Each structure stands twice: as structure tokens, then as C-alpha cells.
Amino acid sequence: GEEMAAFLDKLLYNMIENDERFVQCPREGCANVIERAEEVAGELPTHAPDGQPLSALHAAHMQKNRYRCHACTENFCAACKQSPYHLGMTCEEAAAASAAVHCRFCSATLPKGSRQGSACEAEECQQRQDQACEEVHKCGHRCGGSFGEAACLPCLECAGTAGDFCNICWTEELRAAPCVALGCGHVFHLHCLRARLDKRWPAARISFAFAQCPLCSVWLSHPELDGPMRH
């Protein structure tokens, strides 16, 4: 029974793979089959869903190959199966970008031969590199914490929070700078916490909210902040 079911699943998969009328969701555990939309002549979109402008080549590629699975909501490329779909790039361009080494903070492409986890030559990124933990987690991701901590910050990439904005600056993702986890458990950029403490109360009315976690109002607690907190 189970062997026959596995055989039929494999047979169906091979049939779908070789039939250009269908595409299968690449998300593990989903494998939902989607019928390809018919190509319709007309004006191509000028911008991607995220707002970036598209060339005619990239617009045509997106219109033909970008699909969203109605079963699991994954959006992916029907041609190369990359998820999420590589907006503004062809499959070949996306593969080349993926193979390139990028600055660990601003994601700028680094020269060939650069080491994974390196920073670009921008002054801000170099300063962040000096403050960053150099340890690599067992999962293979570089630690997103600060240099010299007694214990590494849990992996932000595996936790799915590396792409979240810092709740102090609201302009950069957590992965864009060394972070610390406060005693309450909330994670912020270390330089944002230090700047918050340096500015103290922003108005004439004295308030000590600057010394509290922006998310839960517990007093800021971390060895890296002991000096600023005493002042």
C-alpha cells in the first residue's frame, strides 16, 4: 500500500515536471499543483509589488513565472523554483546574486575572493564589523550579537527575526548591526540602545522612559549598558 502510493506520487510528480501546463509549489510539505496562467498580450507592469521599477525583460519574466500557491501562500518562481520570487532579476541573475558574497550588514556585493561574513569598505559597516561577534552558530549562520559577550545571541536567522526592524530606529533590520538581547528578552541594535541612553529624555519634562525597554517598559538590563545606565 505505502510503496504503491509512493510510486504513484513519484509518477505524478514526473508527469507534472514534464508538463508545461502545470507548476508545483516548491515549499516542503506542500507540493500543491497549480495550472499555469495563459500568457496574455498587453502592457507589461512597470513596477514590482515592492515598488521597484522593472525593465521590460524583468517585467516579462515576472509576469510569466511569479506564482503564489493558494494552499500555503508561498510565492515562488515557476522556472527555477526559488522562493520567494526574485523580483527584478531573471533566474540567471538571481543565481549569480545568490552565489556572490555580500556585506553582512548592508548586503552590498563584495569583490570576488571576499570571505563570507565580511563587511564592505563603508565606514559605518567597518565600525559595525569591529563591534560584531565573529562566532558562527552550529546552523551555519553567523552570530548577530556583539563582540565579547559571554554567550552568543540565539540565531536570529533561524528564529525568523533577522529581517525584523529594530524597534528603536525603525529604519534597519536587526541583521544590519550587532544586537543584544536585554534581560526581558527583547532584541535591539546595540548602537540604538546606546544612542537612546545618551539622548536621555528628549523634551523639557524629565522622564526615565529612555532607560526602559521600548516594548515592555522593563528597565534596560545588559552588561554592555551598565556604564551608560549608571550615568
Side-chain angles (χ1 to χ4, degrees):
E2 290 185 4
E3 290 184 2
M4 178 58 71
F7 171 77
L8 292 175
D9 285 343
K10 186 175 181 179
L11 184 63
L12 178 61
Y13 175 80
N14 289 335
M15 288 174 62
I16 293 169
E17 278 290 291
N18 296 315
D19 192 329
E20 294 185 357
R21 295 173 299 170
F22 301 99
V23 60
Q24 191 168 35
C25 175
R27 185 173 184 176
E28 186 175 354
C30 180
N32 182 48
V33 177
I34 305 165
E35 186 175 5
R36 282 184 179 271
E38 292 185 12
E39 293 188 42
V40 180
E43 284 192 26
L44 293 170
T46 57
H47 291 77
D50 64 355
Q52 66 170 296
L54 295 173
S55 68
L57 173 65
H58 296 143
H61 191 283
M62 182 184 75
Q63 193 172 61
K64 179 180 180 181
N65 294 296
R66 184 175 185 266
Y67 282 81
R68 182 177 296 277
C69 176
H70 61 262
C72 70
T73 72
E74 191 88 348
N75 86 81
F76 62 94
C77 176
C80 68
K81 303 297 190 292
Q82 181 172 317
S83 177
Y85 177 82
H86 40 79
L87 292 171
M89 292 184 283
T90 63
C91 298
E92 294 75 18
E93 290 167 342
S98 179
V101 178
H102 300 276
C103 172
R104 64 181 293 189
F105 302 116
C106 71
S107 298
T109 302
L110 299 179
K112 287 186 178 179
S114 298
R115 182 172 59 89
Q116 286 287 354
S118 300
C120 67
E121 294 300 317
E123 183 179 355
E124 188 174 58
C125 292
Q126 286 295 315
Q127 291 174 351
R128 293 179 180 184
Q129 179 82 327
D130 292 340
Q131 300 167 359
C133 178
E134 289 296 321
E135 296 296 323
V136 177
H137 290 293
K138 290 182 179 179
C139 60
H141 296 127
R142 193 167 290 275
C143 177
S146 64
F147 179 79
E149 287 195 272
C152 278
L153 194 69
C155 181
L156 299 178
E157 298 290 345
C158 290
T161 57
D164 292 350
F165 282 113
C166 170
N167 280 262
I168 295 178
C169 66
W170 287 105
T171 57
E172 292 185 300
E173 298 175 349
L174 290 176
R175 63 164 65 96
C179 297
V180 293
L182 300 177
C184 60
H186 293 124
V187 178
F188 304 94
H189 292 148
L190 177 57
H191 74 277
C192 289
L193 286 165
R194 286 174 171 163
R196 181 181 173 90
L197 291 172
D198 287 343
K199 290 178 182 176
R200 303 170 77 82
W201 48 87
R205 181 174 177 271
I206 295 177
S207 167
F208 292 98
F210 71 89
Q212 298 173 333
C213 173
L215 294 177
C216 67
S217 298
V218 170
W219 292 105
L220 300 181
S221 173
H222 190 277
E224 290 282 353
L225 306 176
D226 286 349
M229 284 291 285
R230 282 198 294 271
H231 291 85

